């Protein structure tokens, strides 16, 4: 059967004795090899620009199609280049024992704070994406303050109040960015 596309290629090399009807079997005429190479290149380009192009764009964009066979330790790199596990297996934990200003590297993490307070910077300082979420656990027996710098609005989920929030002892909350300089704070022990 003529090998008229990449899909027709056989994994057994000896079974690939032609390409596009050009004889490439053992002892084939040398005159056909140039045509065979050009045919191979054309078939690969057609494959690249056809079925593969729909899955993996050549110049950016979103990948479409199914991803299969990912093991439990599969990772993907975040925009900062840090390898992250795929899926919702856990929330990476970062411990801190002093006041913290949130940064882009905190997105999707659980910040366990044993001392100090939390400051939320403006979008101009740290351009978090809408929907970015950061969880905070107060790993101490006293309250912690969560406040935004001038221009940042912190809203208490389920209420109309804005301003600095207090996270009680052993409290747990999540901050979600909902506007350019607006965050919602929700959780247990938040006031």
């Amino acid at each position: 059967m003529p090998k008229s596309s990449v899909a027709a290629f056989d994994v057994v090399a000896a079974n690939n004795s032609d390409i596009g009807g050009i004889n490439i079997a053992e002892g084939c005429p040398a005159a056909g090899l140039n045509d065979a190479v050009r045919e191979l290149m054309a078939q690969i380009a057609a494959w690249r620009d056809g079925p593969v192009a729909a899955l993996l764009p050549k110049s950016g964009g979103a990948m479409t199609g199914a991803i299969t066979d990912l093991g439990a330790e599969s990772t993907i790199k975040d925009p900062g280049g840090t390898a992250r596990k795929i899926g919702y297996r856990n929330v990476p934990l970062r411990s801190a024992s002093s006041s913290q200003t949130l940064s882009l590297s905190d997105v999707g993490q659980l910040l366990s704070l044993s001392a100090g307070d939390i400051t939320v910077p403006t979008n101009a300082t740290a351009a978090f994406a809408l929907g970015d979420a950061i969880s905070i656990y107060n790993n101490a027996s006293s309250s912690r303050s969560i406040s935004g710098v001038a221009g940042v609005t912190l809203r208490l989920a389920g209420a109309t109040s804005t301003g600095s929030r207090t996270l009680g002892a052993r409290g747990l909350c999540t901050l979600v960015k909902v506007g350019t300089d607006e965050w919602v704070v929700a959780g247990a022990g938040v006031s």
Side-chain angles (χ1 to χ4, degrees), residues 123 128-131 152-153 155 176-184:
N123 189 70
F128 291 95
L130 295 179
V152 173
T153 300
R155 296 192 182 280
V176 179
K177 185 174 180 179
V178 295
T180 301
D181 281 308
E182 183 177 351
W183 294 75
V184 172

Side-chain angles (χ1 to χ4, degrees), residues 119-122 125 147-153:
T119 301
V120 180
T122 62
T125 301
S147 59
V149 299
V152 173
T153 300

Side-chain angles (χ1 to χ4, degrees), residues 136-138 146 156 166-174 185-191:
I136 299 168
Y137 171 58
N138 180 1
I146 302 170
L156 182 61
T166 299
L167 182 59
R170 310 295 181 209
L172 176 68
C173 71
T174 298
V185 183
V190 180
S191 59

Side-chain angles (χ1 to χ4, degrees), residues 44-92:
I44 291 172
W47 175 75
R48 176 201 65 211
D49 295 342
V52 172
L55 298 175
L56 301 173
K58 289 181 266 183
S59 59
M63 181 183 149
T64 60
I67 299 174
T68 58
D69 297 324
L70 295 174
E73 294 303 315
S74 296
T75 60
I76 190 167
K77 289 190 177 177
D78 67 17
T82 302
R84 304 281 186 196
K85 287 183 181 179
I86 295 175
Y88 299 96
R89 299 182 226 284
N90 64 12
V91 178

